[in-house]
Amino acid sequence: MLDVVYLVAILALFALVALIAQGVEKLGPQPGAPSARTPGHGAPASPASGTTQAPTRGGDSA
């Protein structure tokens, strides 16, 4: 009889882990959803010269 209790407990544990895994998967990024990171921010790379340009700040600098 105790074997059946252990078997049911192990199956319940696996079901709990599967339920947690589904919840964690839903928290991740959805396929096809736009990314939180927007492209175009950063130093533009010049493929011909192999160098990058430093980003500049606009406005007055002291």
Side-chain angles (χ1 to χ4, degrees):
M1 183 67 189
L2 198 55
D3 292 339
V4 175
V5 172
Y6 285 140
L7 183 63
V8 169
I10 288 174
L11 289 175
L13 184 64
F14 273 96
L16 180 64
V17 169
L19 188 65
I20 291 172
Q22 282 182 340
V24 169
E25 187 177 3
K26 286 183 181 180
L27 289 176
Q30 300 297 322
S35 176
R37 298 173 60 180
T38 56
H41 295 279
S46 174
S49 65
T51 61
T52 58
Q53 299 173 349
T56 58
R57 291 185 174 182
D60 297 333
S61 62

mmCIF file of all heavy atoms in Angstrom:
data_model
loop_
_atom_site.group_PDB
_atom_site.id
_atom_site.type_symbol
_atom_site.label_atom_id
_atom_site.label_comp_id
_atom_site.label_asym_id
_atom_site.label_seq_id
_atom_site.Cartn_x
_atom_site.Cartn_y
_atom_site.Cartn_z
ATOM 1 N N MET A 1 0.820 -1.205 0.000
ATOM 2 C CA MET A 1 0.000 0.000 0.000
ATOM 3 C C MET A 1 0.856 1.257 0.000
ATOM 4 O O MET A 1 0.509 2.248 -0.630
ATOM 5 C CB MET A 1 -0.914 -0.051 1.243
ATOM 6 C CG MET A 1 -1.868 1.100 1.331
ATOM 7 S SD MET A 1 -3.067 0.985 -0.004
ATOM 8 C CE MET A 1 -3.858 2.520 0.135
ATOM 9 N N LEU A 2 1.966 1.204 0.733
ATOM 10 C CA LEU A 2 2.853 2.366 0.782
ATOM 11 C C LEU A 2 3.500 2.631 -0.579
ATOM 12 O O LEU A 2 3.808 3.779 -0.903
ATOM 13 C CB LEU A 2 3.926 2.143 1.856
ATOM 14 C CG LEU A 2 4.673 3.370 2.355
ATOM 15 C CD1 LEU A 2 3.704 4.430 2.853
ATOM 16 C CD2 LEU A 2 5.649 3.002 3.436
ATOM 17 N N ASP A 3 3.681 1.562 -1.367
ATOM 18 C CA ASP A 3 4.234 1.742 -2.716
ATOM 19 C C ASP A 3 3.317 2.599 -3.576
ATOM 20 O O ASP A 3 3.776 3.434 -4.362
ATOM 21 C CB ASP A 3 4.435 0.381 -3.390
ATOM 22 C CG ASP A 3 5.521 -0.440 -2.726
ATOM 23 O OD1 ASP A 3 6.362 0.171 -2.036
ATOM 24 O OD2 ASP A 3 5.524 -1.678 -2.887
ATOM 25 N N VAL A 4 2.019 2.428 -3.438
ATOM 26 C CA VAL A 4 1.060 3.203 -4.213
ATOM 27 C C VAL A 4 1.110 4.672 -3.792
ATOM 28 O O VAL A 4 1.050 5.578 -4.636
ATOM 29 C CB VAL A 4 -0.367 2.617 -4.039
ATOM 30 C CG1 VAL A 4 -1.397 3.490 -4.735
ATOM 31 C CG2 VAL A 4 -0.427 1.191 -4.551
ATOM 32 N N VAL A 5 1.275 4.915 -2.506
ATOM 33 C CA VAL A 5 1.370 6.288 -2.013
ATOM 34 C C VAL A 5 2.618 6.966 -2.580
ATOM 35 O O VAL A 5 2.566 8.119 -3.025
ATOM 36 C CB VAL A 5 1.383 6.309 -0.464
ATOM 37 C CG1 VAL A 5 1.669 7.713 0.056
ATOM 38 C CG2 VAL A 5 0.082 5.779 0.087
ATOM 39 N N TYR A 6 3.742 6.265 -2.586
ATOM 40 C CA TYR A 6 4.973 6.822 -3.153
ATOM 41 C C TYR A 6 4.808 7.089 -4.648
ATOM 42 O O TYR A 6 5.270 8.107 -5.165
ATOM 43 C CB TYR A 6 6.159 5.884 -2.921
ATOM 44 C CG TYR A 6 6.679 5.894 -1.511
ATOM 45 C CD1 TYR A 6 7.082 4.709 -0.897
ATOM 46 C CD2 TYR A 6 6.799 7.076 -0.789
ATOM 47 C CE1 TYR A 6 7.568 4.700 0.391
ATOM 48 C CE2 TYR A 6 7.283 7.077 0.507
ATOM 49 C CZ TYR A 6 7.668 5.887 1.090
ATOM 50 O OH TYR A 6 8.145 5.886 2.365
ATOM 51 N N LEU A 7 4.161 6.185 -5.355
ATOM 52 C CA LEU A 7 3.958 6.357 -6.787
ATOM 53 C C LEU A 7 3.085 7.576 -7.068
ATOM 54 O O LEU A 7 3.390 8.383 -7.955
ATOM 55 C CB LEU A 7 3.327 5.090 -7.374
ATOM 56 C CG LEU A 7 3.116 5.083 -8.887
ATOM 57 C CD1 LEU A 7 4.455 5.171 -9.606
ATOM 58 C CD2 LEU A 7 2.362 3.844 -9.313
ATOM 59 N N VAL A 8 2.011 7.736 -6.315
ATOM 60 C CA VAL A 8 1.131 8.889 -6.490
ATOM 61 C C VAL A 8 1.871 10.176 -6.136
ATOM 62 O O VAL A 8 1.732 11.199 -6.819
ATOM 63 C CB VAL A 8 -0.157 8.718 -5.644
ATOM 64 C CG1 VAL A 8 -0.958 10.001 -5.607
ATOM 65 C CG2 VAL A 8 -0.989 7.577 -6.187
ATOM 66 N N ALA A 9 2.690 10.153 -5.089
ATOM 67 C CA ALA A 9 3.446 11.340 -4.694
ATOM 68 C C ALA A 9 4.450 11.734 -5.771
ATOM 69 O O ALA A 9 4.620 12.925 -6.076
ATOM 70 C CB ALA A 9 4.163 11.086 -3.372
ATOM 71 N N ILE A 10 5.106 10.766 -6.379
ATOM 72 C CA ILE A 10 6.081 11.061 -7.436
ATOM 73 C C ILE A 10 5.363 11.619 -8.666
ATOM 74 O O ILE A 10 5.838 12.587 -9.286
ATOM 75 C CB ILE A 10 6.901 9.803 -7.788
ATOM 76 C CG1 ILE A 10 7.861 9.498 -6.633
ATOM 77 C CG2 ILE A 10 7.672 9.997 -9.086
ATOM 78 C CD1 ILE A 10 8.626 8.213 -6.788
ATOM 79 N N LEU A 11 4.221 11.058 -9.022
ATOM 80 C CA LEU A 11 3.465 11.578 -10.161
ATOM 81 C C LEU A 11 2.971 13.001 -9.880
ATOM 82 O O LEU A 11 2.994 13.858 -10.779
ATOM 83 C CB LEU A 11 2.285 10.661 -10.479
ATOM 84 C CG LEU A 11 2.648 9.311 -11.090
ATOM 85 C CD1 LEU A 11 1.405 8.445 -11.257
ATOM 86 C CD2 LEU A 11 3.364 9.489 -12.412
ATOM 87 N N ALA A 12 2.554 13.271 -8.657
ATOM 88 C CA ALA A 12 2.126 14.618 -8.299
ATOM 89 C C ALA A 12 3.295 15.592 -8.366
ATOM 90 O O ALA A 12 3.139 16.742 -8.788
ATOM 91 C CB ALA A 12 1.516 14.618 -6.902
ATOM 92 N N LEU A 13 4.465 15.138 -7.959
ATOM 93 C CA LEU A 13 5.655 15.996 -8.036
ATOM 94 C C LEU A 13 5.999 16.334 -9.480
ATOM 95 O O LEU A 13 6.306 17.480 -9.814
ATOM 96 C CB LEU A 13 6.840 15.309 -7.350
ATOM 97 C CG LEU A 13 8.129 16.100 -7.267
ATOM 98 C CD1 LEU A 13 7.933 17.340 -6.397
ATOM 99 C CD2 LEU A 13 9.244 15.239 -6.717
ATOM 100 N N PHE A 14 5.925 15.347 -10.373
ATOM 101 C CA PHE A 14 6.185 15.598 -11.794
ATOM 102 C C PHE A 14 5.150 16.552 -12.376
ATOM 103 O O PHE A 14 5.479 17.428 -13.185
ATOM 104 C CB PHE A 14 6.208 14.288 -12.585
ATOM 105 C CG PHE A 14 7.548 13.624 -12.614
ATOM 106 C CD1 PHE A 14 7.853 12.623 -11.707
ATOM 107 C CD2 PHE A 14 8.512 14.003 -13.532
ATOM 108 C CE1 PHE A 14 9.092 12.007 -11.722
ATOM 109 C CE2 PHE A 14 9.758 13.397 -13.558
ATOM 110 C CZ PHE A 14 10.051 12.391 -12.646
ATOM 111 N N ALA A 15 3.893 16.397 -11.979
ATOM 112 C CA ALA A 15 2.849 17.295 -12.467
ATOM 113 C C ALA A 15 3.099 18.719 -11.979
ATOM 114 O O ALA A 15 2.893 19.692 -12.711
ATOM 115 C CB ALA A 15 1.481 16.798 -12.008
ATOM 116 N N LEU A 16 3.542 18.871 -10.744
ATOM 117 C CA LEU A 16 3.842 20.195 -10.206
ATOM 118 C C LEU A 16 5.005 20.844 -10.952
ATOM 119 O O LEU A 16 4.953 22.034 -11.299
ATOM 120 C CB LEU A 16 4.165 20.093 -8.715
ATOM 121 C CG LEU A 16 4.491 21.394 -8.000
ATOM 122 C CD1 LEU A 16 3.282 22.320 -8.006
ATOM 123 C CD2 LEU A 16 4.946 21.118 -6.582
ATOM 124 N N VAL A 17 6.032 20.085 -11.236
ATOM 125 C CA VAL A 17 7.176 20.618 -11.988
ATOM 126 C C VAL A 17 6.741 21.027 -13.397
ATOM 127 O O VAL A 17 7.152 22.073 -13.909
ATOM 128 C CB VAL A 17 8.327 19.584 -12.030
ATOM 129 C CG1 VAL A 17 9.408 20.000 -13.018
ATOM 130 C CG2 VAL A 17 8.922 19.406 -10.650
ATOM 131 N N ALA A 18 5.882 20.236 -14.026
ATOM 132 C CA ALA A 18 5.396 20.577 -15.363
ATOM 133 C C ALA A 18 4.552 21.847 -15.326
ATOM 134 O O ALA A 18 4.647 22.694 -16.223
ATOM 135 C CB ALA A 18 4.575 19.423 -15.931
ATOM 136 N N LEU A 19 3.750 22.010 -14.289
ATOM 137 C CA LEU A 19 2.931 23.208 -14.159
ATOM 138 C C LEU A 19 3.801 24.451 -13.956
ATOM 139 O O LEU A 19 3.556 25.498 -14.562
ATOM 140 C CB LEU A 19 1.966 23.043 -12.984
ATOM 141 C CG LEU A 19 0.914 24.110 -12.802
ATOM 142 C CD1 LEU A 19 -0.040 24.101 -13.987
ATOM 143 C CD2 LEU A 19 0.157 23.879 -11.511
ATOM 144 N N ILE A 20 4.824 24.327 -13.140
ATOM 145 C CA ILE A 20 5.749 25.450 -12.929
ATOM 146 C C ILE A 20 6.486 25.780 -14.222
ATOM 147 O O ILE A 20 6.681 26.946 -14.564
ATOM 148 C CB ILE A 20 6.728 25.130 -11.782
ATOM 149 C CG1 ILE A 20 5.966 25.097 -10.461
ATOM 150 C CG2 ILE A 20 7.860 26.142 -11.719
ATOM 151 C CD1 ILE A 20 6.789 24.602 -9.292
ATOM 152 N N ALA A 21 6.887 24.759 -14.972
ATOM 153 C CA ALA A 21 7.594 24.989 -16.236
ATOM 154 C C ALA A 21 6.707 25.729 -17.241
ATOM 155 O O ALA A 21 7.181 26.610 -17.966
ATOM 156 C CB ALA A 21 8.069 23.667 -16.825
ATOM 157 N N GLN A 22 5.422 25.399 -17.278
ATOM 158 C CA GLN A 22 4.520 26.102 -18.180
ATOM 159 C C GLN A 22 4.370 27.561 -17.766
ATOM 160 O O GLN A 22 4.321 28.456 -18.614
ATOM 161 C CB GLN A 22 3.146 25.440 -18.179
ATOM 162 C CG GLN A 22 3.092 24.183 -19.001
ATOM 163 C CD GLN A 22 1.703 23.573 -19.012
ATOM 164 O OE1 GLN A 22 0.885 23.865 -18.147
ATOM 165 N NE2 GLN A 22 1.449 22.713 -19.973
ATOM 166 N N GLY A 23 4.303 27.824 -16.474
ATOM 167 C CA GLY A 23 4.196 29.203 -16.001
ATOM 168 C C GLY A 23 5.424 30.014 -16.327
ATOM 169 O O GLY A 23 5.341 31.169 -16.742
ATOM 170 N N VAL A 24 6.594 29.415 -16.165
ATOM 171 C CA VAL A 24 7.845 30.110 -16.487
ATOM 172 C C VAL A 24 7.936 30.369 -17.982
ATOM 173 O O VAL A 24 8.394 31.421 -18.418
ATOM 174 C CB VAL A 24 9.057 29.289 -15.982
ATOM 175 C CG1 VAL A 24 10.363 29.823 -16.531
ATOM 176 C CG2 VAL A 24 9.082 29.274 -14.469
ATOM 177 N N GLU A 25 7.468 29.428 -18.782
ATOM 178 C CA GLU A 25 7.501 29.596 -20.236
ATOM 179 C C GLU A 25 6.600 30.752 -20.672
ATOM 180 O O GLU A 25 6.938 31.509 -21.580
ATOM 181 C CB GLU A 25 7.056 28.313 -20.919
ATOM 182 C CG GLU A 25 7.213 28.326 -22.416
ATOM 183 C CD GLU A 25 6.828 27.005 -23.050
ATOM 184 O OE1 GLU A 25 6.390 26.099 -22.329
ATOM 185 O OE2 GLU A 25 6.968 26.885 -24.274
ATOM 186 N N LYS A 26 5.481 30.934 -19.999
ATOM 187 C CA LYS A 26 4.586 32.036 -20.333
ATOM 188 C C LYS A 26 5.177 33.382 -19.946
ATOM 189 O O LYS A 26 4.818 34.404 -20.517
ATOM 190 C CB LYS A 26 3.237 31.853 -19.641
ATOM 191 C CG LYS A 26 2.397 30.773 -20.265
ATOM 192 C CD LYS A 26 1.051 30.669 -19.601
ATOM 193 C CE LYS A 26 0.238 29.559 -20.229
ATOM 194 N NZ LYS A 26 -1.076 29.442 -19.579
ATOM 195 N N LEU A 27 6.078 33.408 -18.972
ATOM 196 C CA LEU A 27 6.709 34.661 -18.559
ATOM 197 C C LEU A 27 7.748 35.136 -19.570
ATOM 198 O O LEU A 27 8.086 36.312 -19.605
ATOM 199 C CB LEU A 27 7.386 34.493 -17.199
ATOM 200 C CG LEU A 27 6.459 34.341 -16.004
ATOM 201 C CD1 LEU A 27 7.285 34.077 -14.751
ATOM 202 C CD2 LEU A 27 5.595 35.559 -15.824
ATOM 203 N N GLY A 28 8.279 34.241 -20.387
ATOM 204 C CA GLY A 28 9.321 34.585 -21.344
ATOM 205 C C GLY A 28 8.770 35.352 -22.527
ATOM 206 O O GLY A 28 7.562 35.578 -22.647
ATOM 207 N N PRO A 29 9.647 35.778 -23.427
ATOM 208 C CA PRO A 29 9.192 36.513 -24.615
ATOM 209 C C PRO A 29 8.378 35.609 -25.531
ATOM 210 O O PRO A 29 8.676 34.442 -25.705
ATOM 211 C CB PRO A 29 10.496 36.952 -25.283
ATOM 212 C CG PRO A 29 11.525 36.015 -24.786
ATOM 213 C CD PRO A 29 11.080 35.593 -23.411
ATOM 214 N N GLN A 30 7.339 36.174 -26.101
ATOM 215 C CA GLN A 30 6.469 35.426 -26.999
ATOM 216 C C GLN A 30 7.068 35.423 -28.410
ATOM 217 O O GLN A 30 7.632 36.425 -28.836
ATOM 218 C CB GLN A 30 5.079 36.068 -27.048
ATOM 219 C CG GLN A 30 4.386 36.108 -25.694
ATOM 220 C CD GLN A 30 4.121 34.721 -25.145
ATOM 221 O OE1 GLN A 30 3.786 33.817 -25.881
ATOM 222 N NE2 GLN A 30 4.297 34.565 -23.849
ATOM 223 N N PRO A 31 6.947 34.326 -29.146
ATOM 224 C CA PRO A 31 7.467 34.300 -30.516
ATOM 225 C C PRO A 31 6.709 35.294 -31.400
ATOM 226 O O PRO A 31 5.492 35.364 -31.361
ATOM 227 C CB PRO A 31 7.213 32.874 -30.987
ATOM 228 C CG PRO A 31 6.719 32.116 -29.816
ATOM 229 C CD PRO A 31 6.373 33.064 -28.738
ATOM 230 N N GLY A 32 7.436 36.083 -32.147
ATOM 231 C CA GLY A 32 6.828 37.061 -33.032
ATOM 232 C C GLY A 32 6.508 38.377 -32.364
ATOM 233 O O GLY A 32 6.089 39.320 -33.020
ATOM 234 N N ALA A 33 6.694 38.464 -31.049
ATOM 235 C CA ALA A 33 6.419 39.713 -30.343
ATOM 236 C C ALA A 33 7.590 40.664 -30.540
ATOM 237 O O ALA A 33 8.739 40.234 -30.660
ATOM 238 C CB ALA A 33 6.208 39.447 -28.861
ATOM 239 N N PRO A 34 7.331 41.961 -30.581
ATOM 240 C CA PRO A 34 8.436 42.906 -30.742
ATOM 241 C C PRO A 34 9.346 42.878 -29.513
ATOM 242 O O PRO A 34 8.893 42.695 -28.390
ATOM 243 C CB PRO A 34 7.748 44.265 -30.878
ATOM 244 C CG PRO A 34 6.384 44.068 -30.326
ATOM 245 C CD PRO A 34 6.036 42.629 -30.519
ATOM 246 N N SER A 35 10.607 43.051 -29.773
ATOM 247 C CA SER A 35 11.590 43.018 -28.696
ATOM 248 C C SER A 35 11.560 44.318 -27.910
ATOM 249 O O SER A 35 11.200 45.375 -28.422
ATOM 250 C CB SER A 35 12.988 42.809 -29.288
ATOM 251 O OG SER A 35 13.960 42.873 -28.282
ATOM 252 N N ALA A 36 11.954 44.244 -26.651
ATOM 253 C CA ALA A 36 12.013 45.444 -25.817
ATOM 254 C C ALA A 36 13.187 46.325 -26.240
ATOM 255 O O ALA A 36 13.200 47.518 -25.993
ATOM 256 C CB ALA A 36 12.141 45.058 -24.350
ATOM 257 N N ARG A 37 14.179 45.721 -26.861
ATOM 258 C CA ARG A 37 15.342 46.476 -27.315
ATOM 259 C C ARG A 37 15.050 47.025 -28.701
ATOM 260 O O ARG A 37 14.667 46.295 -29.601
ATOM 261 C CB ARG A 37 16.572 45.584 -27.347
ATOM 262 C CG ARG A 37 16.936 45.060 -25.971
ATOM 263 C CD ARG A 37 18.035 44.047 -26.041
ATOM 264 N NE ARG A 37 19.227 44.624 -26.626
ATOM 265 C CZ ARG A 37 20.348 43.947 -26.812
ATOM 266 N NH1 ARG A 37 20.416 42.691 -26.486
ATOM 267 N NH2 ARG A 37 21.388 44.534 -27.339
ATOM 268 N N THR A 38 15.245 48.313 -28.886
ATOM 269 C CA THR A 38 14.998 48.922 -30.183
ATOM 270 C C THR A 38 16.303 49.021 -30.957
ATOM 271 O O THR A 38 17.323 49.440 -30.419
ATOM 272 C CB THR A 38 14.387 50.324 -30.031
ATOM 273 O OG1 THR A 38 15.246 51.111 -29.218
ATOM 274 C CG2 THR A 38 13.015 50.234 -29.387
ATOM 275 N N PRO A 39 16.302 48.621 -32.214
ATOM 276 C CA PRO A 39 17.526 48.692 -33.003
ATOM 277 C C PRO A 39 17.837 50.140 -33.371
ATOM 278 O O PRO A 39 16.969 51.011 -33.372
ATOM 279 C CB PRO A 39 17.191 47.872 -34.254
ATOM 280 C CG PRO A 39 15.704 47.950 -34.370
ATOM 281 C CD PRO A 39 15.191 48.038 -32.953
ATOM 282 N N GLY A 40 19.093 50.388 -33.669
ATOM 283 C CA GLY A 40 19.493 51.707 -34.123
ATOM 284 C C GLY A 40 20.124 52.555 -33.037
ATOM 285 O O GLY A 40 20.539 53.670 -33.307
ATOM 286 N N HIS A 41 20.184 52.063 -31.825
ATOM 287 C CA HIS A 41 20.834 52.815 -30.752
ATOM 288 C C HIS A 41 22.220 52.240 -30.536
ATOM 289 O O HIS A 41 22.367 51.068 -30.253
ATOM 290 C CB HIS A 41 20.015 52.725 -29.459
ATOM 291 C CG HIS A 41 18.680 53.379 -29.574
ATOM 292 N ND1 HIS A 41 18.506 54.728 -29.454
ATOM 293 C CD2 HIS A 41 17.455 52.869 -29.828
ATOM 294 C CE1 HIS A 41 17.233 55.019 -29.609
ATOM 295 N NE2 HIS A 41 16.567 53.887 -29.853
ATOM 296 N N GLY A 42 23.213 53.056 -30.643
ATOM 297 C CA GLY A 42 24.584 52.592 -30.480
ATOM 298 C C GLY A 42 25.448 53.131 -31.594
ATOM 299 O O GLY A 42 25.023 53.897 -32.450
ATOM 300 N N ALA A 43 26.678 52.712 -31.582
ATOM 301 C CA ALA A 43 27.624 53.207 -32.570
ATOM 302 C C ALA A 43 27.393 52.505 -33.906
ATOM 303 O O ALA A 43 27.360 51.283 -33.964
ATOM 304 C CB ALA A 43 29.047 52.952 -32.093
ATOM 305 N N PRO A 44 27.226 53.252 -34.978
ATOM 306 C CA PRO A 44 27.059 52.614 -36.284
ATOM 307 C C PRO A 44 28.395 52.044 -36.758
ATOM 308 O O PRO A 44 29.436 52.675 -36.624
ATOM 309 C CB PRO A 44 26.584 53.755 -37.183
ATOM 310 C CG PRO A 44 27.046 55.001 -36.515
ATOM 311 C CD PRO A 44 27.076 54.698 -35.043
ATOM 312 N N ALA A 45 28.351 50.856 -37.276
ATOM 313 C CA ALA A 45 29.574 50.206 -37.751
ATOM 314 C C ALA A 45 29.732 50.456 -39.243
ATOM 315 O O ALA A 45 28.779 50.461 -40.000
ATOM 316 C CB ALA A 45 29.500 48.709 -37.480
ATOM 317 N N SER A 46 30.957 50.684 -39.651
ATOM 318 C CA SER A 46 31.271 50.845 -41.058
ATOM 319 C C SER A 46 31.909 49.553 -41.542
ATOM 320 O O SER A 46 33.052 49.261 -41.192
ATOM 321 C CB SER A 46 32.231 52.025 -41.235
ATOM 322 O OG SER A 46 32.646 52.114 -42.569
ATOM 323 N N PRO A 47 31.215 48.751 -42.319
ATOM 324 C CA PRO A 47 31.773 47.466 -42.722
ATOM 325 C C PRO A 47 32.999 47.595 -43.621
ATOM 326 O O PRO A 47 33.851 46.732 -43.637
ATOM 327 C CB PRO A 47 30.637 46.770 -43.452
ATOM 328 C CG PRO A 47 29.562 47.772 -43.651
ATOM 329 C CD PRO A 47 29.873 48.962 -42.820
ATOM 330 N N ALA A 48 33.112 48.692 -44.359
ATOM 331 C CA ALA A 48 34.240 48.834 -45.282
ATOM 332 C C ALA A 48 35.544 49.080 -44.525
ATOM 333 O O ALA A 48 36.583 48.512 -44.855
ATOM 334 C CB ALA A 48 33.974 49.982 -46.257
ATOM 335 N N SER A 49 35.508 49.926 -43.519
ATOM 336 C CA SER A 49 36.753 50.260 -42.824
ATOM 337 C C SER A 49 36.995 49.369 -41.614
ATOM 338 O O SER A 49 38.114 49.298 -41.119
ATOM 339 C CB SER A 49 36.719 51.727 -42.370
ATOM 340 O OG SER A 49 35.692 51.902 -41.410
ATOM 341 N N GLY A 50 35.952 48.726 -41.097
ATOM 342 C CA GLY A 50 36.131 47.861 -39.949
ATOM 343 C C GLY A 50 36.217 48.618 -38.634
ATOM 344 O O GLY A 50 36.604 48.060 -37.635
ATOM 345 N N THR A 51 35.898 49.902 -38.641
ATOM 346 C CA THR A 51 35.953 50.692 -37.412
ATOM 347 C C THR A 51 34.555 51.162 -37.060
ATOM 348 O O THR A 51 33.657 51.162 -37.893
ATOM 349 C CB THR A 51 36.870 51.920 -37.569
ATOM 350 O OG1 THR A 51 36.346 52.746 -38.618
ATOM 351 C CG2 THR A 51 38.291 51.511 -37.909
ATOM 352 N N THR A 52 34.396 51.585 -35.829
ATOM 353 C CA THR A 52 33.121 52.126 -35.407
ATOM 354 C C THR A 52 33.296 53.587 -35.028
ATOM 355 O O THR A 52 34.383 54.003 -34.625
ATOM 356 C CB THR A 52 32.551 51.375 -34.192
ATOM 357 O OG1 THR A 52 33.491 51.463 -33.131
ATOM 358 C CG2 THR A 52 32.292 49.903 -34.521
ATOM 359 N N GLN A 53 32.242 54.347 -35.166
ATOM 360 C CA GLN A 53 32.282 55.754 -34.803
ATOM 361 C C GLN A 53 31.706 55.906 -33.403
ATOM 362 O O GLN A 53 30.715 55.266 -33.058
ATOM 363 C CB GLN A 53 31.462 56.585 -35.793
ATOM 364 C CG GLN A 53 31.991 56.497 -37.205
ATOM 365 C CD GLN A 53 31.038 57.199 -38.175
ATOM 366 O OE1 GLN A 53 29.939 57.544 -37.813
ATOM 367 N NE2 GLN A 53 31.499 57.378 -39.397
ATOM 368 N N ALA A 54 32.307 56.771 -32.612
ATOM 369 C CA ALA A 54 31.814 57.011 -31.267
ATOM 370 C C ALA A 54 30.541 57.845 -31.352
ATOM 371 O O ALA A 54 30.446 58.769 -32.157
ATOM 372 C CB ALA A 54 32.858 57.752 -30.451
ATOM 373 N N PRO A 55 29.545 57.524 -30.549
ATOM 374 C CA PRO A 55 28.317 58.317 -30.555
ATOM 375 C C PRO A 55 28.590 59.706 -29.985
ATOM 376 O O PRO A 55 29.400 59.896 -29.086
ATOM 377 C CB PRO A 55 27.371 57.518 -29.646
ATOM 378 C CG PRO A 55 28.231 56.651 -28.822
ATOM 379 C CD PRO A 55 29.466 56.405 -29.624
ATOM 380 N N THR A 56 27.950 60.683 -30.551
ATOM 381 C CA THR A 56 28.160 62.054 -30.102
ATOM 382 C C THR A 56 26.909 62.556 -29.403
ATOM 383 O O THR A 56 25.790 62.132 -29.705
ATOM 384 C CB THR A 56 28.458 62.984 -31.299
ATOM 385 O OG1 THR A 56 27.362 62.909 -32.227
ATOM 386 C CG2 THR A 56 29.733 62.563 -32.011
ATOM 387 N N ARG A 57 27.121 63.483 -28.465
ATOM 388 C CA ARG A 57 26.008 64.092 -27.757
ATOM 389 C C ARG A 57 25.732 65.462 -28.350
ATOM 390 O O ARG A 57 26.640 66.217 -28.645
ATOM 391 C CB ARG A 57 26.318 64.269 -26.285
ATOM 392 C CG ARG A 57 26.405 62.967 -25.524
ATOM 393 C CD ARG A 57 26.580 63.272 -24.071
ATOM 394 N NE ARG A 57 26.518 62.042 -23.296
ATOM 395 C CZ ARG A 57 26.605 62.002 -22.005
ATOM 396 N NH1 ARG A 57 26.777 63.100 -21.309
ATOM 397 N NH2 ARG A 57 26.521 60.853 -21.363
ATOM 398 N N GLY A 58 24.466 65.741 -28.488
ATOM 399 C CA GLY A 58 24.096 67.042 -28.995
ATOM 400 C C GLY A 58 23.985 68.043 -27.858
ATOM 401 O O GLY A 58 23.921 67.689 -26.681
ATOM 402 N N GLY A 59 24.011 69.319 -28.164
ATOM 403 C CA GLY A 59 23.847 70.331 -27.140
ATOM 404 C C GLY A 59 25.180 70.912 -26.684
ATOM 405 O O GLY A 59 26.250 70.572 -27.192
ATOM 406 N N ASP A 60 25.106 71.777 -25.691
ATOM 407 C CA ASP A 60 26.300 72.422 -25.150
ATOM 408 C C ASP A 60 26.995 71.497 -24.181
ATOM 409 O O ASP A 60 26.372 70.830 -23.382
ATOM 410 C CB ASP A 60 25.946 73.722 -24.441
ATOM 411 C CG ASP A 60 25.336 74.743 -25.399
ATOM 412 O OD1 ASP A 60 25.660 74.662 -26.591
ATOM 413 O OD2 ASP A 60 24.539 75.581 -24.932
ATOM 414 N N SER A 61 28.312 71.485 -24.229
ATOM 415 C CA SER A 61 29.072 70.706 -23.265
ATOM 416 C C SER A 61 30.048 71.635 -22.553
ATOM 417 O O SER A 61 30.636 72.524 -23.152
ATOM 418 C CB SER A 61 29.810 69.570 -23.957
ATOM 419 O OG SER A 61 30.735 70.089 -24.895
ATOM 420 N N ALA A 62 30.193 71.418 -21.301
ATOM 421 C CA ALA A 62 31.075 72.289 -20.505
ATOM 422 C C ALA A 62 32.431 71.669 -20.340
ATOM 423 O O ALA A 62 32.661 70.531 -20.278
ATOM 424 C CB ALA A 62 30.454 72.555 -19.155
#
